[in-house]
């Protein structure tokens, strides 16, 4: 049923050459009309499986039987799983489940704003935080990315037991952007993008124990907010005391990745990537996986402590560095301030200096933010560094009207900062059609100067 729903047009085209009376065509038409949808005819399902089989591999009619173990030619997509790893461990007695922190609640307050859109998106929240743990999964495997029709495919992963069961709370993917809207639940047994695949490739075996961080670490924000807190969970469990490799989904050896690992005492030589190992599905003799420290993209007080460990203890404020900072995205491919020159001219009397974070080392970014008294910037990864600002720092986040998202609002509250939102209209999408997509909230924005001046007055900082 999922196959027909996902690829109805392709299956229909594939069957186009069949005669009008052929069982294949009549079965397809019946399925597309929803008749007999409880069981798609075997011949139709067989045709679907054969379409996606590795080249030269012939599939048997019962290859996807629920009780049939994986073969060397392909793995079936999970049909069973557990919403929590604790349930799996208690039900099967397999592996190990080490509890570190009990669950809790993160409370957030609404920012000072009159805009109803802001108040609806950044409303008061009580975010449930699940308990943190480290699981050991004998012959566990992980499959990452490349999920068709899934917006954030490069981030997602599926963690499986040796029987091919999905462990939902370890199989991370980006939730809807309003991650603080807890109508969303990690019901990955129905919604995980892994289930959109016809089958999985055979896993590449890895010898010995391997630690895994399954969420895609493809940008600065998720590396700092999701990956480093998960590494801390591994460290506190004692798993990193042994010289075992650490497999990080999306690791590319970027400077901020290498520098942050070095500061935490983890040599880059211990890090493995899926690209380095040459596959999207890997299986270890013992897969060691930490839980997420919080909902994806949400920084907790514990996560804030982890990030602040990156700061050099001998830090002292450079009297020559700016105290009021405007974070520029002029070199970015999307989500830029189109009238940035006008904005900077407006901010100059207030003492703001422009900074491009990507031109600075990690320690330079941290030192700059530790000495800040006010920060302004459009929604983007550079605002992740709000985590290093001293309590009471004034923050103005420019939010494109189609991207009123809670990530940096929540960081500001956890860090004890004074946060003020400023919504800016997005430009005509046609202006950036070659660089971005309206579906990804990446349009450039235009800041209305009167609105900016009003927010500056609201903050109470002196010009």
């Amino acid at each position: 049923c999922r196959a027909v729903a996902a690829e109805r047009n392709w299956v229909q085209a594939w069957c186009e050459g069949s005669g009008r009376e052929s069982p294949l065509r009549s079965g397809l038409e019946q399925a597309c009309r929803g008749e007999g949808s409880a069981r798609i005819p075997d011949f139709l399902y067989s045709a679907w499986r054969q379409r996606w089989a590795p080249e030269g591999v012939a599939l048997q009619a019962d290859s996807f039987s629920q009780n049939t173990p994986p073969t060397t030619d392909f793995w079936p997509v999970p049909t069973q799983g557990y919403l929590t790893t604790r349930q799996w461990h208690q039900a099967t007695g397999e592996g190990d489940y080490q509890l570190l922190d009990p669950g809790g609640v993160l409370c957030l307050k609404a920012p000072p704003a009159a805009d109803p859109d802001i108040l609806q998106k950044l409303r008061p929240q009580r975010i449930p935080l699940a308990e943190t743990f480290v699981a050991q999964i004998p012959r566990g495997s992980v499959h990452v990315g490349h999920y068709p029709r899934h917006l954030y495919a490069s981030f997602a992963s599926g963690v499986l037991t040796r029987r091919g069961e999905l462990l939902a709370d370890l199989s991370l993917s980006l939730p809807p952007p309003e991650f603080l809207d807890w109508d969303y639940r990690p019901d990955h047994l129905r919604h995980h993008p892994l289930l959109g695949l016809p089958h999985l490739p055979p896993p590449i075996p890895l010898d010995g124990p391997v630690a895994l961080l399954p969420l895609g670490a493809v940008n600065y924000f998720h590396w700092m907010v999701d990956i480093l807190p998960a590494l801390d969970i591994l460290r506190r469990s004692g798993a990193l005391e042994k010289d075992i490799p650490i497999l990080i989904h999306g690791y590319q050896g970027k400077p901020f990745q290498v520098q942050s690992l070095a500061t935490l005492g983890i040599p880059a030589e211990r890090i493995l990537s899926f690209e380095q190992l040459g596959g999207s599905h890997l299986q270890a003799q013992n897969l060691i996986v930490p839980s997420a420290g919080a909902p994806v993209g949400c920084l907790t007080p514990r996560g804030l402590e982890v990030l602040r460990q990156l700061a050099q203890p001998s830090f002292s404020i450079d009297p020559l560095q700016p105290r009021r900072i405007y974070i520029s995205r002029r070199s970015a491919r999307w989500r830029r301030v189109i009238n940035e020159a006008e904005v900077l001219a407006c901010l100059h009397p207030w003492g703001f200096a422009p900074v491009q974070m990507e031109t600075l080392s990690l320690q330079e970014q941290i030192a700059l933010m530790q000495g800040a008294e006010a920060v302004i910037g459009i929604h983007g990864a550079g605002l992740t560094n709000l985590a290093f600002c001293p309590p009471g720092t004034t923050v103005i986040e420019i939010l494109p009207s189609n991207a009123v998202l809670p990530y940096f609002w929540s960081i500001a509250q956890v860090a004890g900062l004074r946060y003020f939102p400023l919504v800016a209209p997005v430009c005509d999408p046609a202006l950036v059609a070659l660089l971005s997509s309206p579906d990804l909230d990446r349009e450039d924005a235009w800041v209305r100067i009167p609105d900016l001046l009003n927010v500056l007055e609201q903050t109470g900082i002196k010009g």
Side-chain angles (χ1 to χ4, degrees), residues 325 327 352 369 372-377 383 386 389 393-396:
I325 301 163
I327 299 177
F352 283 88
M369 300 300 275
E373 65 177 25
V375 178
I376 298 177
L383 288 176
L386 294 176
C389 291
T393 300
T394 297
V395 177
I396 299 176

Side-chain angles (χ1 to χ4, degrees), residues 132-268:
T132 62
F133 62 89
V134 172
Q136 296 192 34
I137 309 168
R139 291 175 56 200
S141 70
V142 55
H143 182 271
V144 298
H146 311 296
Y147 303 123
R149 295 165 300 280
H150 191 261
L151 183 60
Y152 298 107
S154 60
F155 286 86
S157 64
V159 175
L160 310 175
T161 69
R162 66 182 181 88
R163 294 187 178 91
E165 301 152 325
L166 183 72
L167 298 179
D169 55 350
L170 295 180
S171 300
L172 302 179
S173 62
L174 287 191
E178 295 81 4
F179 72 89
L180 302 182
D181 182 353
W182 274 87
D183 291 337
Y184 172 84
R185 292 291 188 273
D187 186 8
H188 292 175
L189 297 184
R190 277 195 302 127
H191 299 302
H192 194 277
L194 180 74
L195 303 180
L197 297 179
H199 67 81
L200 304 181
I204 298 173
L206 302 176
D207 295 332
V210 176
L212 167 71
L213 277 73
L215 183 71
V218 298
N219 65 23
Y220 184 78
F221 172 78
H222 286 288
W223 177 265
M224 302 293 279
V225 171
D226 298 309
I227 298 299
L228 294 186
L231 269 175
D232 179 69
I233 293 174
L234 274 177
R235 179 191 61 79
R236 290 190 288 128
S237 74
L240 296 185
E241 295 176 3
K242 302 175 182 178
D243 191 20
I244 62 174
I246 306 171
L247 178 62
I248 302 181
H249 175 23
Y251 180 78
Q252 298 172 338
K254 295 179 179 179
F256 67 82
Q257 294 174 330
V258 174
Q259 293 165 15
S260 57
L261 289 174
T263 303
L264 297 175
I266 302 174

Side-chain angles (χ1 to χ4, degrees), residues 119 141 163 199 201 273 366 369 436 441:
L119 296 177
S141 70
R163 294 187 178 91
H199 67 81
S273 69
I366 294 173
M369 300 300 275
S436 63
D441 303 329

Side-chain angles (χ1 to χ4, degrees), residues 11-24:
V11 179
Q12 192 160 3
W14 190 87
C15 298
E16 198 64 34
S18 303
R20 168 54 66 179
E21 304 303 323
S22 74
L24 184 60

Side-chain angles (χ1 to χ4, degrees), residues 27-105:
L28 168 70
E29 292 174 347
Q30 181 187 38
C32 289
R33 289 194 302 268
E35 301 173 5
S37 58
R39 178 170 175 78
I40 301 298
D42 289 340
F43 52 79
L44 182 59
Y45 195 31
S46 298
W48 167 254
R49 298 200 326 259
Q50 192 63 54
R51 151 73 169 92
W52 286 102
E55 186 175 356
V57 174
L59 306 184
Q60 300 300 319
D62 61 349
S63 294
F64 275 76
S65 169
Q66 185 168 301
N67 299 318
T68 303
T71 72
T72 56
D73 296 323
F74 64 91
W75 272 39
V77 170
T79 58
Q80 300 183 60
Y82 296 86
L83 285 176
T84 70
T85 304
R86 179 189 281 273
Q87 292 173 350
W88 162 75
H89 176 63
Q90 292 176 339
T92 65
E94 295 186 4
D96 182 67
Y97 186 95
Q98 181 182 356
L99 177 65
L100 270 78
D101 306 302
V105 176

